[in-house]
Amino acid sequence: MNKKLKLEELQRLSISDYKKAQKDPIIVVLEDVRSLNNIGSIFRTCDAMAIQKIYLCGITAQPPHREIRKTAIGATESVDWEYQENVLDVIIKYQKLDYNLIAIEQTSKAISLEKYENNREKTLLVFGNEINGVSQSTIDKCEISLEIPQWGTKHSLNISVTTGIILWMIKMKKTFKK
């Protein structure tokens, strides 16, 4: 019988154990994200994927906020995060630390996600505003742009969905590369 597991059967880490656990050297940067629900969803995804840190930049709202908390379901407590007004300051900091700097955006030189091969252990991913995406000045500072192939008429996905797809694929490529 295929039995659905109860919460207590999932062997979830406590927040303090999660904080001590090793994380993947992946930094998620949110540039001018408007939706509080998207921010909360991204926190939850970053918790699930055990990423190192989230940076909230520009107009991106910060916890604690009721709408963020509603979708994050506690992930704002488990995932390390920091507010930084200027996204370029974050990029420059991690450039000096030899992170692979990636804008998640449709650009003239974007690499389709399935073709992307990460050649460095440390990765910084910039996700942009729901309407305008990642700013051109940020794209100019990143080494590459990644895009998710799409076949519909909209040619865009919700930022929280995009974050989940990108993080899952990057983690899977790392896992199977070993």
Side-chain angles (χ1 to χ4, degrees):
M1 179 176 165
N2 188 12
K3 177 185 150 245
K4 180 178 175 176
L5 296 176
K6 296 177 183 171
L7 281 177
E8 58 272 8
E9 295 174 303
L10 294 177
Q11 301 175 359
R12 295 181 354 178
L13 295 173
S14 68
I15 289 178
S16 62
D17 287 341
Y18 180 86
K19 288 277 204 185
K20 295 176 207 165
Q22 184 172 347
K23 310 293 185 305
D24 271 324
I26 298 172
I27 303 295
V28 168
V29 177
L30 303 183
E31 179 185 26
D32 294 329
V33 175
R34 299 172 313 142
S35 166
L36 301 170
N37 290 324
N38 282 338
I39 296 164
S41 293
I42 292 167
F43 265 95
R44 193 167 166 190
T45 298
C46 289
D47 174 283
M49 296 293 153
I51 64 98
Q52 185 178 336
K53 190 171 188 173
I54 298 175
Y55 280 90
L56 308 171
C57 299
I59 67 165
T60 307
Q62 307 155 54
H65 192 286
R66 184 174 60 85
E67 291 299 311
I68 294 173
R69 191 171 41 241
K70 183 168 63 173
T71 51
I73 309 179
T76 57
E77 304 302 316
S78 57
V79 176
D80 287 341
W81 66 273
E82 182 179 327
Y83 176 76
Q84 188 70 249
E85 171 86 26
N86 189 338
V87 67
L88 297 179
D89 291 342
V90 176
I91 291 171
I92 291 166
K93 172 183 177 177
Y94 285 93
Q95 181 179 38
K96 292 175 183 173
L97 296 171
D98 196 36
Y99 274 68
N100 195 6
L101 308 173
I102 302 171
I104 308 304
E105 187 59 81
Q106 297 165 330
T107 69
S108 60
K109 295 184 179 180
I111 299 169
S112 191
L113 180 57
E114 80 280 4
K115 295 177 181 171
Y116 171 66
E117 293 297 329
N118 189 359
N119 55 1
R120 298 215 295 273
E121 182 65 24
K122 302 182 287 187
T123 304
L124 179 138
L125 303 164
V126 182
F127 297 87
N129 177 276
E130 293 89 341
I131 302 298
N132 300 315
V134 176
S135 69
Q136 185 63 54
S137 60
T138 298
I139 291 167
D140 292 343
K141 291 286 185 191
C142 289
E143 296 165 284
I144 64 168
S145 296
L146 279 183
E147 67 178 325
I148 299 170
Q150 298 168 53
W151 297 270
T153 61
K154 298 300 175 200
H155 291 282
S156 70
L157 294 166
N158 178 282
I159 184 176
S160 64
V161 172
T162 298
T163 303
I165 292 168
I166 295 285
L167 287 175
W168 187 86
M169 184 66 97
I170 286 175
K171 287 197 60 122
M172 287 303 99
K173 286 187 176 213
K174 280 184 176 187
T175 300
F176 292 120
K177 201 176 212 182
K178 292 177 182 174

